Coordinates of all heavy atoms in Angstrom, one line a residue:
L148 N 50.8 -34.1 4.0 CA 51.5 -35.0 3.1 C 53.0 -34.9 3.2 O 53.5 -33.8 3.0 CB 51.0 -34.7 1.6 CG 49.5 -34.7 1.4 CD1 49.2 -34.3 -0.1 CD2 48.9 -36.1 1.6
E149 N 53.6 -35.9 3.4 CA 55.1 -35.9 3.5 C 55.6 -36.9 2.5 O 55.6 -38.1 2.6 CB 55.5 -36.4 4.9 CG 55.0 -35.5 6.0 CD 55.3 -36.1 7.4 OE1 56.1 -37.0 7.5 OE2 54.6 -35.6 8.3
P150 N 56.2 -36.3 1.4 CA 56.7 -37.1 0.3 C 58.0 -37.8 0.7 O 58.8 -37.3 1.5 CB 56.9 -36.1 -0.8 CG 57.1 -34.8 -0.2 CD 56.3 -34.9 1.1
V151 N 58.3 -38.9 0.0 CA 59.6 -39.6 0.2 C 60.2 -39.7 -1.2 O 59.5 -40.2 -2.2 CB 59.4 -41.0 0.8 CG1 60.6 -41.8 0.8 CG2 58.9 -40.8 2.2
A152 N 61.4 -39.3 -1.4 CA 62.1 -39.4 -2.7 C 63.2 -40.5 -2.7 O 63.9 -40.6 -1.7 CB 62.8 -38.1 -3.0
A153 N 63.2 -41.3 -3.7 CA 64.2 -42.4 -3.8 C 64.2 -42.9 -5.3 O 63.1 -43.1 -5.9 CB 63.9 -43.5 -2.8
G154 N 65.4 -43.2 -5.8 CA 65.5 -43.8 -7.1 C 64.8 -43.0 -8.2 O 64.3 -43.6 -9.2
G155 N 64.8 -41.7 -8.1 CA 64.3 -40.9 -9.2 C 62.7 -40.8 -9.1 O 62.1 -40.3 -10.0
R156 N 62.2 -41.2 -8.0 CA 60.7 -41.2 -7.8 C 60.3 -40.5 -6.5 O 61.1 -40.5 -5.6 CB 60.1 -42.6 -7.8 CG 60.3 -43.4 -9.1 CD 59.8 -44.8 -8.9 NE 60.2 -45.6 -10.0 CZ 61.4 -46.3 -10.1 NH1 62.2 -46.3 -9.1 NH2 61.7 -47.0 -11.2
L157 N 59.2 -39.9 -6.5 CA 58.6 -39.3 -5.4 C 57.4 -40.0 -5.0 O 56.5 -40.2 -5.8 CB 58.3 -37.8 -5.7 CG 57.8 -36.9 -4.5 CD1 59.0 -36.7 -3.6 CD2 57.3 -35.6 -5.0
F158 N 57.3 -40.5 -3.7 CA 56.1 -41.3 -3.3 C 55.4 -40.5 -2.3 O 55.9 -39.9 -1.3 CB 56.6 -42.6 -2.6 CG 57.5 -43.4 -3.5 CD1 58.9 -43.3 -3.3 CD2 57.0 -44.2 -4.5 CE1 59.7 -44.1 -4.2 CE2 57.8 -45.0 -5.3 CZ 59.2 -44.9 -5.2
I159 N 54.1 -40.3 -2.5 CA 53.2 -39.5 -1.6 C 52.0 -40.4 -1.2 O 51.3 -40.9 -2.1 CB 52.8 -38.2 -2.3 CG1 54.0 -37.4 -2.7 CG2 51.9 -37.4 -1.3 CD1 53.6 -36.2 -3.5
G160 N 51.7 -40.4 0.1 CA 50.5 -41.1 0.6 C 49.4 -40.0 0.8 O 49.7 -38.9 1.2
F161 N 48.2 -40.4 0.5 CA 47.0 -39.4 0.6 C 46.0 -40.0 1.6 O 45.4 -41.0 1.4 CB 46.4 -39.2 -0.8 CG 47.2 -38.5 -1.8 CD1 48.1 -39.3 -2.6 CD2 47.2 -37.2 -1.8 CE1 48.9 -38.6 -3.5 CE2 48.0 -36.5 -2.8 CZ 48.8 -37.2 -3.6
N162 N 45.8 -39.2 2.7 CA 44.8 -39.6 3.6 C 43.4 -39.3 3.2 O 42.4 -39.9 3.7 CB 45.1 -39.1 5.0 CG 45.0 -37.6 5.1 OD1 44.6 -36.9 4.1 ND2 45.4 -37.0 6.2
D163 N 43.2 -38.5 2.2 CA 41.8 -38.1 1.8 C 41.4 -38.9 0.5 O 40.3 -38.8 0.1 CB 41.7 -36.6 1.5 CG 42.7 -36.2 0.4 OD1 43.6 -36.9 0.1 OD2 42.4 -35.1 -0.2
R164 N 42.4 -39.7 0.0 CA 42.1 -40.5 -1.2 C 42.4 -42.0 -1.1 O 42.2 -42.8 -2.0 CB 42.9 -40.0 -2.4 CG 42.6 -38.5 -2.7 CD 43.4 -38.1 -3.9 NE 43.5 -36.6 -3.9 CZ 44.4 -36.0 -4.5 NH1 45.3 -36.6 -5.3 NH2 44.4 -34.7 -4.5
D165 N 42.8 -42.4 0.1 CA 43.1 -43.8 0.4 C 44.1 -44.4 -0.7 O 43.9 -45.5 -1.2 CB 41.9 -44.7 0.4 CG 40.8 -44.2 1.4 OD1 41.2 -43.3 2.2 OD2 39.7 -44.6 1.4
Q166 N 45.2 -43.7 -0.9 CA 46.1 -44.1 -1.9 C 47.5 -43.6 -1.7 O 47.8 -42.7 -0.9 CB 45.7 -43.6 -3.3 CG 45.9 -42.1 -3.5 CD 45.3 -41.6 -4.8 OE1 44.2 -41.9 -5.1 NE2 46.1 -40.7 -5.5
V167 N 48.5 -44.3 -2.4 CA 49.9 -43.8 -2.5 C 50.2 -43.7 -4.0 O 49.7 -44.5 -4.8 CB 50.9 -44.7 -1.8 CG1 50.9 -46.1 -2.3 CG2 52.3 -44.1 -1.8
T168 N 50.8 -42.6 -4.4 CA 51.1 -42.3 -5.8 C 52.6 -42.0 -5.9 O 53.2 -41.4 -5.1 CB 50.3 -41.1 -6.3 OG1 48.9 -41.4 -6.1 CG2 50.5 -40.8 -7.7
A169 N 53.2 -42.5 -7.1 CA 54.6 -42.3 -7.4 C 54.6 -41.4 -8.6 O 53.9 -41.5 -9.5 CB 55.2 -43.6 -7.7
Y170 N 55.6 -40.4 -8.5 CA 55.8 -39.4 -9.6 C 57.3 -39.5 -10.0 O 58.2 -39.8 -9.2 CB 55.5 -38.0 -9.1 CG 54.1 -37.8 -8.7 CD1 53.7 -38.0 -7.3 CD2 53.1 -37.5 -9.6 CE1 52.3 -37.8 -7.0 CE2 51.8 -37.3 -9.2 CZ 51.4 -37.5 -7.9 OH 50.1 -37.3 -7.5
D171 N 57.5 -39.2 -11.2 CA 58.9 -39.0 -11.7 C 59.4 -37.7 -11.2 O 58.8 -36.6 -11.4 CB 58.9 -39.0 -13.3 CG 60.3 -39.0 -13.8 OD1 61.0 -37.9 -13.7 OD2 60.7 -40.0 -14.4
V172 N 60.6 -37.6 -10.6 CA 61.1 -36.4 -10.0 C 61.5 -35.4 -11.0 O 61.5 -34.2 -10.8 CB 62.2 -36.6 -8.9 CG1 61.8 -37.4 -7.7 CG2 63.4 -37.3 -9.6
R173 N 61.9 -35.8 -12.2 CA 62.4 -34.9 -13.2 C 61.2 -34.3 -14.0 O 61.2 -33.1 -14.3 CB 63.3 -35.6 -14.2 CG 64.6 -35.9 -13.6 CD 65.6 -36.5 -14.7 NE 66.3 -37.5 -14.0 CZ 66.5 -38.7 -14.4 NH1 66.1 -39.1 -15.6 NH2 67.2 -39.6 -13.7
T174 N 60.2 -35.1 -14.3 CA 59.1 -34.6 -15.2 C 57.9 -34.2 -14.4 O 57.0 -33.5 -14.9 CB 58.8 -35.6 -16.3 OG1 58.2 -36.8 -15.6 CG2 60.0 -36.0 -17.1
G175 N 57.7 -34.8 -13.2 CA 56.5 -34.6 -12.5 C 55.4 -35.5 -12.9 O 54.2 -35.5 -12.4
A176 N 55.6 -36.4 -13.9 CA 54.6 -37.3 -14.4 C 54.2 -38.4 -13.4 O 55.1 -38.9 -12.7 CB 55.1 -38.0 -15.7
E177 N 52.9 -38.6 -13.3 CA 52.5 -39.7 -12.4 C 52.9 -41.1 -13.0 O 52.6 -41.3 -14.2 CB 51.0 -39.7 -12.3 CG 50.4 -40.7 -11.3 CD 48.9 -40.6 -11.1 OE1 48.4 -39.5 -10.9 OE2 48.2 -41.6 -11.3
L178 N 53.6 -41.9 -12.2 CA 54.0 -43.2 -12.7 C 53.0 -44.3 -12.3 O 52.8 -45.2 -13.2 CB 55.4 -43.5 -12.0 CG 56.5 -42.5 -12.4 CD1 57.7 -42.8 -11.6 CD2 56.8 -42.5 -13.9
W179 N 52.5 -44.3 -11.1 CA 51.5 -45.3 -10.7 C 50.8 -44.8 -9.5 O 51.2 -43.9 -8.8 CB 52.1 -46.7 -10.5 CG 53.3 -46.7 -9.6 CD1 54.6 -46.8 -9.9 CD2 53.2 -46.8 -8.2 NE1 55.4 -46.9 -8.8 CE2 54.6 -46.9 -7.7 CE3 52.2 -46.8 -7.2 CZ2 54.9 -47.0 -6.3 CZ3 52.6 -46.8 -5.9 CH2 53.9 -46.9 -5.4
T180 N 49.6 -45.4 -9.2 CA 48.8 -45.2 -8.0 C 48.4 -46.5 -7.5 O 47.9 -47.4 -8.3 CB 47.6 -44.3 -8.3 OG1 48.0 -43.0 -8.8 CG2 46.7 -44.1 -7.1
F181 N 48.5 -46.7 -6.2 CA 48.0 -47.9 -5.5 C 46.9 -47.5 -4.5 O 47.2 -46.6 -3.7 CB 49.2 -48.6 -4.8 CG 48.7 -49.9 -4.1 CD1 48.6 -51.1 -4.8 CD2 48.5 -49.9 -2.7 CE1 48.2 -52.2 -4.1 CE2 48.1 -51.0 -2.1 CZ 47.9 -52.2 -2.8
F182 N 45.8 -48.1 -4.5 CA 44.7 -47.8 -3.6 C 44.6 -48.8 -2.4 O 44.8 -50.0 -2.6 CB 43.3 -47.8 -4.3 CG 43.2 -46.7 -5.3 CD1 43.6 -46.8 -6.6 CD2 42.7 -45.4 -4.9 CE1 43.5 -45.8 -7.5 CE2 42.6 -44.4 -5.8 CZ 43.0 -44.6 -7.1
T183 N 44.4 -48.3 -1.2 CA 44.2 -49.1 -0.1 C 42.7 -49.0 0.3 O 41.9 -48.3 -0.4 CB 45.1 -48.6 1.1 OG1 44.7 -47.3 1.5 CG2 46.5 -48.6 0.7
E184 N 42.3 -49.6 1.4 CA 40.9 -49.6 1.8 C 40.7 -48.6 3.0 O 39.7 -48.7 3.7 CB 40.5 -51.0 2.3 CG 40.4 -52.0 1.2 CD 39.4 -51.7 0.1 OE1 38.3 -51.2 0.4 OE2 39.7 -51.9 -1.1
G185 N 41.7 -47.7 3.2 CA 41.6 -46.7 4.2 C 42.6 -45.6 4.0 O 43.5 -45.7 3.1
P186 N 42.6 -44.5 4.7 CA 43.5 -43.4 4.6 C 45.0 -43.9 4.8 O 45.2 -44.8 5.6 CB 43.1 -42.5 5.7 CG 41.7 -42.8 5.9 CD 41.5 -44.2 5.8
V187 N 45.9 -43.2 4.1 CA 47.3 -43.4 4.2 C 47.8 -42.1 4.9 O 48.0 -41.1 4.3 CB 48.0 -43.6 2.9 CG1 49.5 -43.8 3.1 CG2 47.4 -44.9 2.2
R188 N 47.9 -42.2 6.3 CA 48.2 -41.0 7.0 C 49.7 -40.8 7.3 O 50.2 -39.6 7.5 CB 47.5 -41.1 8.4 CG 46.0 -41.1 8.3 CD 45.4 -41.1 9.7 NE 44.0 -41.5 9.6 CZ 43.0 -40.7 9.3 NH1 43.2 -39.5 9.1 NH2 41.8 -41.2 9.3
L189 N 50.5 -41.8 7.2 CA 51.9 -41.7 7.4 C 52.7 -41.8 6.1 O 52.2 -42.4 5.1 CB 52.4 -42.9 8.3 CG 51.7 -42.9 9.7 CD1 52.1 -44.2 10.4 CD2 52.1 -41.7 10.5
P190 N 53.9 -41.1 6.0 CA 54.6 -41.2 4.8 C 55.1 -42.6 4.5 O 55.4 -43.4 5.4 CB 55.8 -40.3 5.1 CG 55.9 -40.1 6.5 CD 54.5 -40.4 7.1
P191 N 55.1 -43.0 3.2 CA 55.7 -44.3 2.9 C 57.2 -44.4 3.2 O 57.8 -43.4 3.4 CB 55.4 -44.4 1.4 CG 55.0 -43.1 0.9 CD 54.7 -42.2 2.1
A192 N 57.7 -45.6 3.1 CA 59.1 -45.8 3.3 C 59.6 -46.6 2.1 O 58.9 -47.5 1.6 CB 59.4 -46.6 4.6
E193 N 60.8 -46.3 1.6 CA 61.4 -47.0 0.4 C 62.7 -47.7 0.9 O 63.5 -47.1 1.6 CB 61.7 -46.0 -0.7 CG 62.0 -46.6 -2.0 CD 63.5 -47.1 -2.1 OE1 64.3 -46.6 -1.4 OE2 63.8 -47.9 -3.0
W194 N 62.8 -48.9 0.4 CA 64.1 -49.7 0.7 C 64.3 -50.7 -0.3 O 63.4 -51.5 -0.6 CB 63.9 -50.3 2.1 CG 65.1 -51.1 2.5 CD1 66.4 -50.6 2.9 CD2 65.2 -52.5 2.6 NE1 67.2 -51.6 3.2 CE2 66.5 -52.8 3.0 CE3 64.3 -53.5 2.4 CZ2 67.0 -54.1 3.2 CZ3 64.8 -54.8 2.5 CH2 66.1 -55.1 2.9
N195 N 65.4 -50.7 -0.9 CA 65.8 -51.7 -1.9 C 64.8 -51.9 -3.0 O 64.4 -53.0 -3.4 CB 66.1 -53.1 -1.3 CG 67.4 -53.2 -0.7 OD1 68.3 -52.3 -0.9 ND2 67.7 -54.3 0.0
G196 N 64.3 -50.8 -3.5 CA 63.3 -50.9 -4.7 C 61.9 -51.3 -4.3 O 61.1 -51.6 -5.1
R197 N 61.6 -51.2 -3.0 CA 60.3 -51.6 -2.5 C 59.8 -50.4 -1.7 O 60.5 -49.7 -1.0 CB 60.3 -52.8 -1.7 CG 60.7 -54.0 -2.5 CD 60.4 -55.3 -1.9 NE 60.8 -56.3 -2.8 CZ 60.5 -57.6 -2.7 NH1 59.8 -58.0 -1.7 NH2 60.9 -58.5 -3.6
V198 N 58.5 -50.2 -1.7 CA 57.8 -49.1 -1.0 C 56.9 -49.8 0.0 O 56.1 -50.7 -0.3 CB 57.0 -48.2 -1.9 CG1 56.3 -47.1 -1.1 CG2 57.9 -47.6 -3.0
F199 N 57.0 -49.3 1.3 CA 56.2 -49.9 2.4 C 55.2 -48.8 2.8 O 55.6 -47.7 3.1 CB 57.1 -50.3 3.5 CG 58.0 -51.4 3.1 CD1 59.3 -51.0 2.6 CD2 57.7 -52.7 3.3 CE1 60.2 -52.0 2.2 CE2 58.6 -53.7 2.9 CZ 59.8 -53.4 2.4
V200 N 53.9 -49.2 2.8 CA 52.8 -48.2 3.1 C 51.9 -48.8 4.2 O 51.4 -49.9 4.0 CB 52.0 -48.0 1.8 CG1 50.8 -47.1 2.1 CG2 52.8 -47.5 0.7
A201 N 51.7 -48.0 5.2 CA 50.7 -48.4 6.3 C 49.4 -47.7 6.0 O 49.4 -46.5 5.7 CB 51.3 -48.1 7.6
S202 N 48.3 -48.4 6.1 CA 47.0 -47.7 5.9 C 46.1 -47.9 7.1 O 46.3 -48.9 7.9 CB 46.4 -48.4 4.7 OG 45.0 -48.0 4.5
D203 N 45.1 -47.0 7.2 CA 44.1 -47.2 8.3 C 43.2 -48.4 8.1 O 42.4 -48.7 8.9 CB 43.2 -45.9 8.3 CG 43.9 -44.8 9.1 OD1 45.1 -44.9 9.4 OD2 43.2 -43.8 9.4
D204 N 43.4 -49.1 7.0 CA 42.7 -50.4 6.8 C 43.3 -51.5 7.7 O 42.9 -52.7 7.7 CB 42.5 -50.8 5.4 CG 43.9 -51.1 4.7 OD1 44.9 -51.2 5.4 OD2 43.9 -51.3 3.4
G205 N 44.4 -51.2 8.4 CA 45.0 -52.1 9.3 C 46.1 -53.0 8.6 O 46.6 -53.9 9.2
R206 N 46.5 -52.6 7.4 CA 47.4 -53.4 6.7 C 48.7 -52.6 6.4 O 48.7 -51.4 6.2 CB 46.9 -53.9 5.3 CG 45.7 -54.9 5.5 CD 45.3 -55.4 4.2 NE 45.1 -56.8 3.9 CZ 45.5 -57.9 4.6 NH1 46.0 -57.7 5.7 NH2 45.2 -59.1 4.2
L207 N 49.8 -53.4 6.3 CA 51.1 -52.9 5.8 C 51.3 -53.5 4.4 O 51.2 -54.7 4.3 CB 52.2 -53.3 6.7 CG 53.6 -53.0 6.2 CD1 53.9 -51.5 6.2 CD2 54.7 -53.6 7.1
Y208 N 51.5 -52.6 3.5 CA 51.7 -53.1 2.1 C 53.1 -53.0 1.7 O 53.8 -52.0 2.0 CB 50.8 -52.2 1.1 CG 49.3 -52.4 1.4 CD1 48.7 -51.5 2.2 CD2 48.6 -53.3 0.7 CE1 47.3 -51.6 2.4 CE2 47.2 -53.4 0.9 CZ 46.6 -52.6 1.8 OH 45.3 -52.7 2.0
C209 N 53.6 -53.9 0.9 CA 54.9 -53.9 0.2 C 54.7 -53.8 -1.3 O 54.1 -54.7 -1.8 CB 55.7 -55.1 0.6 SG 57.3 -55.2 -0.2
L210 N 55.1 -52.7 -1.9 CA 54.9 -52.5 -3.3 C 56.2 -52.4 -4.1 O 57.2 -52.0 -3.5 CB 54.1 -51.2 -3.5 CG 52.9 -51.0 -2.6 CD1 52.3 -49.6 -2.9 CD2 51.9 -52.0 -2.9
D211 N 56.2 -52.7 -5.3 CA 57.3 -52.5 -6.2 C 57.5 -51.0 -6.5 O 56.5 -50.4 -6.9 CB 57.2 -53.3 -7.5 CG 58.3 -53.2 -8.4 OD1 58.6 -52.1 -9.0 OD2 59.0 -54.2 -8.6
A212 N 58.6 -50.4 -6.2 CA 58.8 -49.0 -6.3 C 58.6 -48.5 -7.8 O 58.2 -47.4 -8.1 CB 60.1 -48.5 -5.8
A213 N 59.0 -49.4 -8.8 CA 59.0 -49.0 -10.2 C 57.5 -49.1 -10.8 O 57.2 -48.3 -11.6 CB 59.9 -49.9 -11.0
T214 N 56.7 -50.1 -10.3 CA 55.5 -50.4 -10.9 C 54.2 -50.2 -10.0 O 53.1 -50.1 -10.5 CB 55.4 -51.8 -11.5 OG1 55.4 -52.7 -10.3 CG2 56.5 -52.1 -12.4
G215 N 54.4 -50.2 -8.7 CA 53.3 -50.1 -7.8 C 52.6 -51.5 -7.6 O 51.7 -51.6 -6.8
K216 N 53.2 -52.5 -8.2 CA 52.6 -53.9 -8.0 C 52.8 -54.3 -6.5 O 53.8 -54.1 -6.0 CB 53.3 -54.8 -8.9 CG 52.9 -56.3 -8.8 CD 53.6 -57.2 -9.7 CE 53.2 -58.6 -9.4 NZ 54.3 -59.4 -8.8
E217 N 51.7 -54.9 -6.0 CA 51.8 -55.4 -4.6 C 52.5 -56.7 -4.5 O 52.2 -57.7 -5.2 CB 50.3 -55.6 -4.1 CG 50.3 -56.0 -2.7 CD 48.8 -56.2 -2.2 OE1 47.9 -55.6 -2.7 OE2 48.7 -57.0 -1.2
F218 N 53.6 -56.7 -3.7 CA 54.3 -58.0 -3.4 C 53.5 -58.7 -2.3 O 53.4 -59.9 -2.4 CB 55.7 -57.7 -3.0 CG 56.6 -57.3 -4.1 CD1 57.2 -56.0 -4.1 CD2 56.9 -58.1 -5.1 CE1 58.1 -55.6 -5.1 CE2 57.8 -57.8 -6.1 CZ 58.4 -56.5 -6.1
W219 N 53.2 -58.0 -1.3 CA 52.4 -58.7 -0.2 C 51.8 -57.6 0.7 O 52.1 -56.4 0.6 CB 53.3 -59.6 0.7 CG 54.6 -58.9 1.2 CD1 55.9 -59.1 0.7 CD2 54.8 -58.1 2.4 NE1 56.8 -58.3 1.4 CE2 56.1 -57.7 2.5 CE3 53.9 -57.6 3.3 CZ2 56.6 -56.9 3.5 CZ3 54.3 -56.7 4.3 CH2 55.7 -56.4 4.4
S220 N 50.9 -58.1 1.6 CA 50.3 -57.2 2.6 C 50.1 -58.0 3.9 O 50.0 -59.2 3.8 CB 49.0 -56.5 2.1 OG 48.0 -57.5 2.1
Y221 N 50.2 -57.3 5.0 CA 50.1 -58.0 6.3 C 49.1 -57.2 7.2 O 49.2 -56.0 7.3 CB 51.5 -58.0 6.9 CG 51.5 -58.6 8.3 CD1 51.4 -60.0 8.5 CD2 51.5 -57.8 9.4 CE1 51.4 -60.5 9.8 CE2 51.5 -58.3 10.7 CZ 51.4 -59.6 10.9 OH 51.4 -60.2 12.1
R222 N 48.2 -57.9 7.7 CA 47.2 -57.3 8.7 C 47.8 -57.3 10.0 O 48.2 -58.3 10.6 CB 45.9 -58.1 8.7 CG 44.9 -57.4 9.7 CD 43.5 -58.1 9.6 NE 42.9 -58.1 8.3 CZ 42.4 -57.1 7.7 NH1 42.5 -55.9 8.2 NH2 41.9 -57.2 6.5
G223 N 47.9 -56.1 10.6 CA 48.6 -55.9 11.9 C 47.7 -56.2 13.1 O 48.2 -56.4 14.2
G224 N 46.4 -56.1 12.9 CA 45.4 -56.3 14.0 C 44.9 -57.7 14.0 O 45.1 -58.5 13.0
P225 N 44.2 -58.1 15.0 CA 43.6 -59.4 15.1 C 42.5 -59.7 14.2 O 42.1 -60.9 14.0 CB 43.2 -59.5 16.6 CG 42.9 -58.1 17.0 CD 43.9 -57.3 16.2
N226 N 41.8 -58.7 13.7 CA 40.7 -58.9 12.7 C 40.5 -57.7 11.8 O 41.3 -56.8 11.9 CB 39.4 -59.2 13.5 CG 39.0 -58.1 14.4 OD1 39.0 -56.9 14.0 ND2 38.6 -58.4 15.6
A227 N 39.5 -57.8 10.9 CA 39.3 -56.8 9.9 C 38.4 -55.6 10.4 O 38.1 -54.7 9.6 CB 38.8 -57.4 8.7
R228 N 38.0 -55.7 11.7 CA 37.1 -54.6 12.2 C 37.8 -53.3 12.2 O 38.9 -53.1 12.6 CB 36.7 -55.0 13.6 CG 35.7 -54.1 14.2 CD 35.3 -54.7 15.6 NE 34.9 -53.5 16.4 CZ 34.7 -53.6 17.7 NH1 34.9 -54.7 18.3 NH2 34.3 -52.6 18.3
Q229 N 37.1 -52.3 11.7 CA 37.6 -50.9 11.6 C 36.8 -50.0 12.4 O 35.6 -50.2 12.6 CB 37.6 -50.5 10.1 CG 38.5 -51.3 9.2 CD 38.5 -50.8 7.8 OE1 38.1 -49.7 7.5 NE2 39.0 -51.7 6.9
V230 N 37.5 -48.9 12.9 CA 36.8 -47.9 13.7 C 36.9 -46.6 13.0 O 37.9 -46.3 12.4 CB 37.6 -47.8 15.1 CG1 36.9 -46.7 15.9 CG2 37.6 -49.1 15.8
L231 N 35.7 -45.9 13.0 CA 35.7 -44.6 12.4 C 36.6 -43.6 13.2 O 36.5 -43.5 14.4 CB 34.3 -44.1 12.4 CG 34.0 -42.8 11.6 CD1 34.3 -43.0 10.2 CD2 32.5 -42.4 11.8
G232 N 37.5 -42.9 12.5 CA 38.5 -42.1 13.1 C 38.3 -40.6 12.9 O 37.7 -40.2 12.0

């Protein structure tokens, strides 16, 4: 797990829980959790108040850094077929 800190928040992707979670850096309180349909193996990226998360479900997600609300997602592969890794 490689956390990313930005804007007073810590973002961590979990490959064993298919999720990314945001924590308050001062209190350690969980702020939000966003679930994907596959492991999140790479660290998220934060830019301009948005968090970008790539998942083994083949999608790139753009989330609001403050709330975890999904702005959009994009499928990078030609179809939804998944391979056991």
Side-chain angles (χ1 to χ4, degrees):
L148 305 175
E149 299 173 16
V151 171
R156 296 176 190 89
L157 187 69
F158 306 99
I159 303 175
F161 293 90
N162 63 6
D163 61 342
R164 299 181 201 161
D165 304 348
Q166 71 186 47
V167 61
T168 301
Y170 298 93
D171 184 292
V172 295
R173 285 186 222 134
T174 66
E177 183 177 310
L178 300 172
W179 54 260
T180 296
F181 180 83
F182 291 92
T183 66
E184 296 295 321
V187 177
R188 298 182 196 276
L189 300 173
E193 191 278 343
W194 180 71
N195 276 354
R197 298 196 177 191
V198 177
F199 299 88
V200 179
S202 171
D203 280 10
D204 64 7
R206 293 186 129 353
L207 172 65
Y208 295 90
C209 177
L210 311 175
D211 183 290
T214 65
K216 177 183 175 245
E217 181 180 333
F218 285 117
W219 53 260
S220 68
Y221 176 78
R222 180 173 304 287
N226 61 44
R228 186 174 152 193
Q229 296 181 16
V230 178
L231 186 63

